[in-house]
Amino acid sequence: MRARLVALEGQADICLDRPLTLVGRHRGCDVRMNSPQVSRYHCCLAWQDGDYEVRDLGSTNGIKINGHRLESGRLRAGDELTIARLRFLLILGPTASIAPDRDAAPGLNPADGSGGQYAGDAVSSFPHT
C-alpha cells in the first residue's frame, strides 16, 4: 500500500514504503528525525490488515493518534500521528506516492550513506528500547 505521513508543521514528509518502518534519531532507523524531542528508537509503523499499526518503543515524549497519547494503536487514512511534538497526517492510496512540491524541510537527515529512509536500508527487526 502506498502511504505517506504528510508533515503538518514544516518538517519533511515520511514515505511509508516498507512493511515495517522504524522511526527515531539513531542511524539505524529507516526514518531519522533530527530533533532532540525524538528518542533514538522512538516508534515503529507496520502495515497490517489494511491499516498501519504504530507502536511506541519506550520513547520519552511518546506518540499520539488524533491527540490521544497511546502506547500503540491503529492509524487509518486521515488520522493524525504525533511523534514527540511533530505532527503528521496519514494519506493512503495513489496520491501518497506523489512528492510534495516544496523544498526539503529540516527535521529529517537526507541520505548520507549511513542509513535512513532514503538510503534503502531494510530493517528485519527492531530493538526493544
Side-chain angles (χ1 to χ4, degrees):
M1 171 57 66
R2 293 180 187 175
R4 178 177 298 275
L5 287 169
V6 176
L8 298 177
E9 297 172 337
Q11 63 277 4
D13 292 353
I14 298 172
C15 182
L16 299 173
D17 57 357
R18 306 164 188 252
L20 177 70
T21 302
L22 182 60
V23 178
R25 285 190 344 260
H26 193 272
R27 68 176 16 198
C29 292
D30 299 305
V31 177
R32 292 175 49 202
M33 297 186 148
N34 187 17
S35 168
Q37 298 166 347
V38 174
S39 294
R40 286 177 298 171
Y41 297 101
H42 199 97
C43 64
C44 64
L45 296 109
W47 177 249
Q48 194 170 36
D49 300 326
D51 295 313
Y52 273 92
E53 180 78 23
V54 61
R55 181 167 39 134
D56 187 287
L57 298 176
S59 69
T60 301
N61 292 313
I63 60 169
K64 294 179 184 177
I65 298 176
N66 297 323
H68 300 283
R69 186 163 178 166
L70 305 167
E71 299 266 333
S72 66
R74 288 239 188 243
L75 275 177
R76 293 176 179 84
D79 282 350
E80 181 180 303
L81 173 64
T82 305
I83 301 171
R85 293 184 188 157
L86 307 173
R87 296 173 44 231
F88 299 89
L89 183 71
L90 180 65
I91 304 296
L92 296 176
T95 57
S97 64
I98 299 171
D101 186 20
R102 63 178 184 240
D103 295 332
L108 295 180
N109 289 336
D112 61 6
S114 63
Q117 176 177 338
Y118 304 103
D121 294 343
V123 173
S124 58
S125 63
F126 50 88
H128 301 283
T129 325

